[in-house]
């Protein structure tokens, strides 16, 4: 995959095809301001872009695979949704938002976030307002709030070019992530519908395929349907009462155990827990004696 230029917008392809722990970045070349969105694609490319000229760093959201090389831009003004800023101010808030509580897991992740993802607390940011239109000089950006993945996740629409940056609504076959403390399944579904309705001609996503030059078409529904498939598998599994540990051991979300084991066990657990809360709110399941069963 190669970097591509669309008018004043550059799609900067990430290492490892933008798969976690990397992403794809966007570089915006306005007459007044030059912006890098989500600086986690590649150390080498971002170092070159910094030399080319960057005035602002924008973040679609707070996740580590979107801020990996933000330390290169320590003296640059940071812009993000107000709702997603708290984790960037303090590593402990960062870990709390992931609900990483077990001391050993917490110290392990703390080390990874600091050493691999170069986390440095930021005390200041300018906030991108929901629905704002930003004029960078010959390049207009509409800020679209797309909560669910994170509470302050932002997508960006570039009306002149007809380009839509989806961020982490990335249309991968794995499906959407909504496993954090403040992630939300309903909001995720609404955001997918909202993005699908934007009259774009090209689409960027933060990971994997990254660039869609034709309407992703069925991929929108496939992506959303992963949510319902997860739910259906869980409901079928809960014909008989099960504990969280038993549900997680069935790997209903990931299909099978994966490496690194601790990370995937954690991911499976938090996604299962979100679905259990969601199903309970809808009275589709009930819990008794720490076991869950279909209502
Ligand atoms: Zn994310």
């Amino acid at each position: 995959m190669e970097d591509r230029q669309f008018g004043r917008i550059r799609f900067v392809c990430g290492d490892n095809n933008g798969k976690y722990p990397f992403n794809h970045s966007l570089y915006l070349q306005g007459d007044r301001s030059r912006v890098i969105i989500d600086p986690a694609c590649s150390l080498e490319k971002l170092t070159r872009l910094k030399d080319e000229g960057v005035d602002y760093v924008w973040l679609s959201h707070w996740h580590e695979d979107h801020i990996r090389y933000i330390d290169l831009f320590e003296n640059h003004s940071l812009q993000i949704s107000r709702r997603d800023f708290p984790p960037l101010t303090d590593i402990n808030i960062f870990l709390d938002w992931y609900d990483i509580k077990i001391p050993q897991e917490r110290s392990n992740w703390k080390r990874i976030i600091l050493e691999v993802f170069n986390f440095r607390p930021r005390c200041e940011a300018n906030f991108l307002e929901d629905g704002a239109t930003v004029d960078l000089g010959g390049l207009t950006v509409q800020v679209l709030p797309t909560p669910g993945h994170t509470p302050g996740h932002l997508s960006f629409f570039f009306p002149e070019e007809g380009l839509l940056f989806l961020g982490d609504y990335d249309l991968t076959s794995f499906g959407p992530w909504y496993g954090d403390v403040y992630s939300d399944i309903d909001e995720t579904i609404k955001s997918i519908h909202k993005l699908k309705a934007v009259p774009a001609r090209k689409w960027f996503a933060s990971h994997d395929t990254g660039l869609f030059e034709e309407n992703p078409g069925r991929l929108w529904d496939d992506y959303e349907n992963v949510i319902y498939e997860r739910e259906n598998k869980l409901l079928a599994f809960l014909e008989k009462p099960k504990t969280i540990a038993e549900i997680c051991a069935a790997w209903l979300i990931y299909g099978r155990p994966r490496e690194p084991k601790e990370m995937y066990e954690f991911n499976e657990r938090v996604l299962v827990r979100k679905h259990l809360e969601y199903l309970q709110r809808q009275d589709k399941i009930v819990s008794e004696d720490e076991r869950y069963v279909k209502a």
Side-chain angles (χ1 to χ4, degrees):
M1 207 191 290
E2 289 183 346
D3 296 356
R4 295 279 303 275
Q5 189 78 34
F6 300 94
R8 293 164 177 268
I9 302 163
R10 192 180 306 165
F11 172 77
V12 190
C13 176
D15 290 350
N16 195 25
N17 273 334
K19 288 191 199 321
Y20 187 96
F22 302 98
N23 70 356
H24 305 303
S25 303
L26 284 190
Y27 180 56
L28 314 179
Q29 295 159 289
D31 286 332
R32 265 204 302 283
S33 310
R34 290 152 302 174
V35 175
I36 184 81
I37 300 183
D38 292 351
C41 57
S42 138
L43 179 59
E44 190 199 330
K45 288 184 184 182
L46 289 165
T47 305
R48 276 207 306 267
L49 284 175
K50 189 180 171 187
D51 292 340
E52 201 173 323
V54 171
D55 300 301
Y56 299 100
V57 175
W58 287 14
L59 296 181
S60 61
H61 63 297
W62 64 273
H63 283 163
E64 69 279 5
D65 54 324
H66 293 250
I67 62 166
R68 183 172 179 145
Y69 300 117
I70 199 172
D71 59 322
L72 280 177
F73 303 96
E74 230 160 11
N75 299 318
H76 290 65
S77 164
L78 175 67
Q79 309 204 335
I80 182 172
S81 160
R82 184 185 300 271
R83 294 182 299 277
D84 264 24
F85 186 53
L88 299 183
T89 64
D90 183 332
I91 184 92
N92 287 306
I93 299 176
F94 195 100
L95 297 169
D96 289 344
W97 279 41
Y98 273 134
D99 207 19
I100 300 170
K101 287 201 186 98
I102 300 166
Q104 203 195 329
E105 268 182 12
R106 197 165 167 101
S107 63
N108 198 23
W109 267 107
K110 191 178 252 184
R111 186 183 53 76
I112 293 170
I113 299 297
L114 289 171
E115 291 175 11
V116 179
F117 292 97
N118 308 301
F119 181 94
R120 308 278 182 279
R122 302 285 291 232
C123 50
E124 263 181 54
N126 292 307
F127 298 118
L128 291 163
E129 300 296 338
D130 294 352
T133 298
V134 184
D135 180 2
L136 300 175
L139 176 62
T140 311
V141 192
Q142 291 172 3
V143 178
L144 308 179
T146 42
H149 181 77
T150 63
H153 187 284
L154 298 175
S155 301
F156 302 106
F157 183 51
F158 304 92
E160 286 108 348
E161 304 288 344
L163 282 164
L164 177 63
F165 173 74
L166 304 169
D168 262 0
Y169 297 94
D170 54 14
L171 303 177
T172 56
S173 57
F174 171 70
W177 171 268
Y178 36 74
D180 314 344
V181 175
Y182 302 109
S183 302
D184 186 280
I185 295 179
D186 265 329
E187 295 284 352
T188 298
I189 294 169
K190 280 188 213 154
S191 289
I192 296 169
H193 292 173
K194 180 177 187 172
L195 289 167
K196 190 180 170 184
V198 174
R201 296 190 299 275
K202 288 188 174 55
W203 295 258
F204 299 122
S206 294
H207 300 284
D208 292 36
T209 305
L211 171 62
F212 301 87
E213 298 203 58
E214 301 194 351
N215 195 310
R218 264 195 53 189
L219 287 183
W220 287 108
D221 296 332
D222 292 349
Y223 188 70
E224 181 181 342
N225 283 335
V226 171
I227 302 172
Y228 312 124
E229 283 158 17
R230 290 169 180 167
E231 180 169 304
N232 290 338
K233 276 190 229 167
L234 188 51
L235 280 171
F237 193 67
L238 295 180
E239 291 287 350
K240 293 206 175 116
K242 297 280 189 329
T243 62
I244 289 226
E246 287 167 334
I247 301 168
C248 291
W251 291 96
L252 301 173
I253 308 269
Y254 281 91
R256 61 183 166 80
R258 289 172 195 243
E259 293 294 333
K261 193 162 163 273
E262 288 79 13
M263 183 173 123
Y264 282 100
E265 279 177 351
F266 179 86
N267 289 356
E268 181 81 17
R269 190 167 72 236
V270 292
L271 287 169
V272 159
R273 207 167 51 195
K274 276 283 163 181
H275 271 285
L276 290 174
E277 288 165 11
Y278 188 59
L279 289 169
Q280 248 180 328
R281 280 203 302 275
Q282 298 174 81
D283 297 322
K284 290 187 181 171
I285 60 169
V286 290
S287 70
E288 32 188 73
D289 301 335
E290 297 190 7
R291 286 187 156 74
Y292 296 84
V293 67
K294 209 168 148 184

